[in-house]
Amino acid sequence: MNATILSNIFIDDYMKDANDAQIKVYLYLLRMLQAHRSADISDIADHFNHTEKDVIRALRYWEKMQVLSLDFASDKTISGIHLLDLKSRAADFAERPAAVSVISHQTIPSAPSFEKPAYSPDELRAFGQQENAAQLFFIAEQYLGRPLTPSDMKSILFFTDRLHFSDDLIDYLLQYCVERGKKDFRYIDKVAVGWAEAGITTPAQAQRHASRYDKNVYSIMNALGKSSAPTKTEIAYIQRWSGEYGFELDVILEACARTVLATDKHRFAYADRILLAWQKKGVHHVSDIVTLDASHKKEKGAAPARSGSAAEYNNFMHSSYDFDVLEKELLDTRV
C-alpha cells in the first residue's frame, strides 16, 4: 500500500505542541522507516528546504519528548536515530516507552572534512594529465581572463578530488563567482566549500541555493533600509544570524523591523544584539517572540504595546554599547 501509517497517539498527544519543521521531520523519518529506506540529515534538509541546523533542532526536540532517541559518535555528531514506540504514552505521558524501532541503515555519518590539502607537484602533474583537467583549466582561464597559477590549479583539483564536484558544477561555480566580481580563488574556494557543506552536487541545486541566499540578503538589507550592495561587515552579520544563531528569515526580519523603529545608526549591530538576546532566550520562531514579549510586559507591569515598538527594545539596548567596536570585532573574527 502506497501509504505511511501514523499513530493516532502522535496526532492526539504530540502534534499539537510541535512546530511545522518538527512535524515534517518526524513524518519523513516515519516514511523512511516504513519504506525500509535510508536517509540522513542533509537529505531531510534538502527535501524540506531547511538548514541542517533546523533538522538537528527538530531531532533534539523529539528526543526531549521521548519520541525518538539519538546515538552520538565520539565527535558528538549524530550517528543514529531510533523511533520509539508511542503506545505507552496513552497510559502515562511521562513514561519512556520500552520498545524501540530502529531505523534500518539510519546512521548519519560525521561531517566530512572539506579542508584543502597541500597537494604536491606530482599530484598536480598527474591531475593535469587527466582528460578533463585541460578542459577545466581552459574554462577557468576564460572566466578569469588570465593564465592559471599552480595554486589556482590546486583549487580545481580540490574541487574534483575532495569536494567531488562534477565538471559542470565547477563550470557553474566559476561563472557564479565571476559574475559577482570575485576572481580570487580564496573566495571561490569558500563558496565551493559552502556548497559542499550544503550537499550541493548539481548546477541546478547550486542555482536554487544561490537564489535563496541572494533573496534573503536582499530582503534583510531592504528591511534595514539599505539599498546598496552589502559590505563585508554586513555580510558577516547576515551569515552569523542564519548560521551561528540558526534563525530563519522571518525571525531576522522581525528583528530588523524593531531595529528600524528604534535607531537610525549602527542598525546591523543593533539588530545583532536583539537576535543574540532571542537566541539566548531559546527563540526559534516568530511565535516564540510573541510569547517572550508577553512575558516581558507582564514582568514590567506595562500596558500592552504593539509588536515591534521602539520603546520595548530601547529599554533592552543599552546606550553604553560601542557599536563601532562591535562591528570591528565581528569583521575581525567572521570574515
Side-chain angles (χ1 to χ4, degrees), residues 5-16 26 30 86-87 89-90:
I5 306 301
L6 177 65
S7 168
N8 287 335
I9 297 174
F10 178 82
I11 299 173
D12 296 339
D13 294 335
Y14 295 91
M15 195 167 70
K16 63 181 184 296
Y26 179 78
L30 198 64
L86 303 180
K87 292 180 180 179
R89 291 289 178 172

Side-chain angles (χ1 to χ4, degrees), residues 119-184:
Y119 291 109
S120 68
D122 289 340
E123 288 176 311
L124 183 58
R125 189 178 303 108
F127 174 64
Q129 293 173 352
Q130 295 179 16
E131 184 176 349
N132 67 325
Q135 182 179 357
L136 289 173
F137 292 161
F138 175 78
I139 291 171
E141 288 178 347
Q142 297 306 302
Y143 279 125
L144 300 177
R146 60 171 176 81
L148 298 182
T149 66
S151 177
D152 298 338
M153 295 178 183
K154 288 178 181 179
S155 288
I156 295 175
L157 171 56
F158 171 55
F159 302 155
T160 61
D161 173 51
R162 289 297 176 89
L163 303 187
H164 306 293
F165 281 9
S166 66
D167 293 356
D168 288 341
L169 184 55
I170 294 174
D171 188 331
Y172 183 78
L173 168 69
L174 295 168
Q175 176 188 344
Y176 172 86
C177 293
V178 170
E179 285 179 349
R180 285 154 181 77
K182 304 294 186 180
K183 296 185 178 182
D184 187 336

Side-chain angles (χ1 to χ4, degrees), residues 114-255:
F114 296 124
E115 184 176 353
K116 185 178 178 181
Y119 291 109
S120 68
D122 289 340
E123 288 176 311
L124 183 58
R125 189 178 303 108
F127 174 64
Q129 293 173 352
Q130 295 179 16
E131 184 176 349
N132 67 325
Q135 182 179 357
L136 289 173
F137 292 161
F138 175 78
I139 291 171
E141 288 178 347
Q142 297 306 302
Y143 279 125
L144 300 177
R146 60 171 176 81
L148 298 182
T149 66
S151 177
D152 298 338
M153 295 178 183
K154 288 178 181 179
S155 288
I156 295 175
L157 171 56
F158 171 55
F159 302 155
T160 61
D161 173 51
R162 289 297 176 89
L163 303 187
H164 306 293
F165 281 9
S166 66
D167 293 356
D168 288 341
L169 184 55
I170 294 174
D171 188 331
Y172 183 78
L173 168 69
L174 295 168
Q175 176 188 344
Y176 172 86
C177 293
V178 170
E179 285 179 349
R180 285 154 181 77
K182 304 294 186 180
K183 296 185 178 182
D184 187 336
F185 262 94
R186 287 176 297 181
Y187 178 87
I188 298 172
D189 287 352
K190 289 182 180 179
V191 174
V193 169
W195 287 3
E197 290 176 341
I200 290 171
T201 59
T202 67
Q205 290 175 339
Q207 188 173 18
R208 289 194 297 269
H209 177 82
S211 175
R212 182 185 180 193
Y213 171 78
D214 291 345
K215 180 180 178 182
N216 286 357
V217 170
Y218 172 80
S219 298
I220 293 169
M221 293 291 290
N222 187 58
L224 288 172
K226 301 283 187 177
S227 58
S228 58
T231 65
K232 289 174 65 177
T233 304
E234 291 166 346
I235 287 293
Y237 273 118
I238 294 171
Q239 291 174 340
R240 183 184 191 184
W241 298 339
S242 60
E244 180 180 337
Y245 294 172
F247 286 127
E248 293 292 339
L249 180 62
D250 56 351
V251 175
I252 297 174
L253 293 180
E254 177 65 19

Side-chain angles (χ1 to χ4, degrees), residues 48-159:
F48 295 112
N49 202 23
H50 288 320
T51 66
E52 292 190 9
K53 287 189 175 182
D54 292 330
V55 177
I56 292 173
R57 279 198 296 267
L59 292 173
R60 290 191 176 277
Y61 171 80
W62 289 126
E63 181 185 39
K64 179 181 177 182
M65 298 302 295
Q66 299 182 355
V67 168
L68 55 78
S69 65
L70 301 174
D71 296 332
F72 294 89
S74 58
D75 60 356
K76 298 184 179 180
T77 58
I78 298 175
S79 61
I81 305 171
H82 308 272
L83 295 188
L84 303 180
D85 186 359
L86 303 180
K87 292 180 180 179
S88 63
R89 291 289 178 172
D92 185 356
F93 192 81
E95 182 182 351
R96 186 178 182 87
V100 176
S101 299
V102 179
I103 301 177
S104 301
H105 309 295
Q106 289 294 320
T107 299
I108 301 174
S110 301
S113 172
F114 296 124
E115 184 176 353
K116 185 178 178 181
Y119 291 109
S120 68
D122 289 340
E123 288 176 311
L124 183 58
R125 189 178 303 108
F127 174 64
Q129 293 173 352
Q130 295 179 16
E131 184 176 349
N132 67 325
Q135 182 179 357
L136 289 173
F137 292 161
F138 175 78
I139 291 171
E141 288 178 347
Q142 297 306 302
Y143 279 125
L144 300 177
R146 60 171 176 81
L148 298 182
T149 66
S151 177
D152 298 338
M153 295 178 183
K154 288 178 181 179
S155 288
I156 295 175
L157 171 56
F158 171 55
F159 302 155

